[in-house]
Amino acid sequence: MGLLKGIDPLLTADVLHILRSMGHGDKLCICDCNFPAAQVATNSTSKKHVILTVTLPEALDAICSVFPLDFFEQKQAVYMGPQEGVEMPPAGVEVVSSMKEVIMKNCGGDATIDKMERFSFYEEAKSCFAVIQCLERRPYGNVILWKGCVGPDGLDLKP
Amino acid sequence: MGLLKGIDPLLTADVLHILRSMGHGDKLCICDCNFPAAQVATNSTSKKHVILTVTLPEALDAICSVFPLDFFEQKQAVYMGPQEGVEMPPAGVEVVSSMKEVIMKNCGGDATIDKMERFSFYEEAKSCFAVIQCLERRPYGNVILWKGCVGPDGLDLKP
């Protein structure tokens, strides 16, 4: 495998195939290294479970460099939050903060990124198009992105 | 299937998968609508025969927007020329001229593009990574590109 001009090297052939195959409204799950990715992927549209051996912010930055978000919905992404009665540890707060920065950097800074309780997140992930798992070891490094449209200017299409 | 930001819409998931899978020194055959593409593809590395329903210059421009050429070889591309005793018709001269312009536009203007006699071209095509066929109806709308490397600046790496 070799590289392509203008495309982040982390976007392997399999990742590019997944991202380009997804249409408007399809969802992508990007998860940490503790997530039950293989199991969740068996329920996904493509059944694909691809690994990128970097942290969540690194994987997310590469993906968001080409992936348009769905600004025709009320939210563009959700991240996993703790189940009831559990507090998010500092490392989780940190990874969620980085995640938000990376998404904002790539979409023009106006995405809505909501929290979703752990078990609801697993359910939501099962209806994704594919699961891309990274080597993020901080807890709660899991996010679902809604795919939008690319406008005639080549950027995220917004209403 | 939907689009990706910053990537030509003609580069479908299957085309992106092929282009990204190719390494330094692998060759890509891009051919017109009379070329025996399916047969040649059975001999190729990936066995893949993908169709883009546009002219050769359009398909080539999309591909060359991301595809680095091999500037560590004496030539970066070859196009099909007539067999001995046959003259290239004006439509062929025209498509070859457009082909050269499109390649030059995308690689910095210093590629070497040689002519290869028809039957030698078929042999060379059999050792390609894949065959991408377009709907070019002008004769001799066939070209083989050598894949190079992307430099740290994101452009074609040159010695």
Side-chain angles (χ1 to χ4, degrees):
Chain A
M1 187 181 290
L3 298 180
L4 293 175
K5 298 195 284 185
I7 299 179
D8 193 300
L10 276 179
L11 302 177
T12 63
D14 286 345
V15 173
L16 281 173
H17 197 276
I18 287 168
L19 301 184
R20 182 68 168 83
S21 297
M22 294 174 64
H24 183 194
D26 281 331
K27 294 172 292 178
L28 179 67
C29 178
I30 308 164
C31 66
D32 63 24
C33 63
N34 287 299
F35 192 84
Q39 176 256 114
V40 167
T42 62
N43 286 283
S44 71
T45 304
S46 68
K47 318 287 183 211
K48 286 184 181 161
H49 168 210
V50 174
I51 315 271
L52 292 178
T53 57
V54 292
T55 65
L56 180 80
E58 289 170 298
L60 194 58
D61 196 31
I63 291 164
C64 288
S65 70
V66 298
F67 191 92
L69 293 174
D70 189 2
F71 284 95
F72 295 85
E73 291 295 325
Q74 289 198 313
K75 60 181 181 299
Q76 285 70 57
V78 294
Y79 64 92
M80 181 191 279
Q83 66 213 75
E84 191 143 341
V86 174
E87 205 179 336
M88 190 180 276
V93 173
E94 184 187 288
V95 76
V96 167
S97 169
S98 297
M99 174 197 296
K100 287 180 177 175
E101 270 175 36
V102 165
I103 293 173
M104 293 298 183
K105 184 192 114 187
N106 283 284
C107 76
D110 55 353
T112 298
I113 306 166
D114 283 349
K115 180 158 67 176
M116 183 176 275
E117 181 273 336
R118 185 181 158 208
F119 292 104
S120 302
F121 188 97
Y122 291 138
E123 282 311 303
E124 191 75 37
K126 286 181 186 169
S127 59
C128 281
F129 189 89
V131 181
I132 297 182
Q133 185 166 36
C134 57
L135 294 192
E136 181 59 60
R137 296 185 61 185
R138 287 171 291 187
Y140 300 103
N142 305 301
V143 61
I144 293 171
L145 305 177
W146 270 256
K147 191 175 183 192
C149 298
V150 177
D153 60 359
L155 300 174
D156 302 76
L157 187 66
K158 297 178 183 180
Chain B
M1 187 179 292
L3 298 180
L4 293 175
K5 298 194 284 185
I7 299 180
D8 193 301
L10 276 179
L11 303 177
T12 63
D14 286 345
V15 173
L16 281 174
H17 197 275
I18 288 169
L19 302 184
R20 182 68 168 83
S21 296
M22 294 175 64
H24 183 194
D26 280 332
K27 294 173 292 179
L28 179 67
C29 177
I30 307 163
C31 66
D32 64 24
C33 63
N34 286 301
F35 192 84
Q39 176 257 114
V40 167
T42 61
N43 287 283
S44 71
T45 304
S46 68
K47 318 288 183 210
K48 285 184 180 163
H49 168 210
V50 174
I51 314 271
L52 292 177
T53 57
V54 292
T55 65
L56 181 80
E58 289 170 297
L60 194 58
D61 195 32
I63 291 165
C64 288
S65 70
V66 299
F67 191 92
L69 293 174
D70 189 0
F71 284 94
F72 295 85
E73 291 294 328
Q74 289 197 313
K75 59 182 182 296
Q76 284 69 58
V78 294
Y79 63 92
M80 181 190 279
Q83 66 213 75
E84 192 143 338
V86 174
E87 205 177 339
M88 191 180 276
V93 173
E94 184 187 286
V95 76
V96 167
S97 169
S98 298
M99 175 198 296
K100 287 179 176 174
E101 270 176 37
V102 165
I103 294 174
M104 293 299 184
K105 184 192 115 186
N106 283 283
C107 75
D110 55 353
T112 298
I113 305 165
D114 282 350
K115 181 158 68 176
M116 184 176 274
E117 180 273 336
R118 183 181 158 209
F119 293 102
S120 302
F121 188 97
Y122 289 139
E123 283 311 304
E124 191 73 37
K126 286 181 186 170
S127 59
C128 282
F129 189 89
V131 181
I132 296 180
Q133 184 167 35
C134 57
L135 294 192
E136 181 59 59
R137 294 185 63 184
R138 288 170 292 186
Y140 300 102
N142 305 302
V143 61
I144 293 172
L145 306 177
W146 271 256
K147 190 176 182 191
C149 298
V150 177
D153 60 359
L155 300 174
D156 302 76
L157 187 66
K158 297 179 184 180

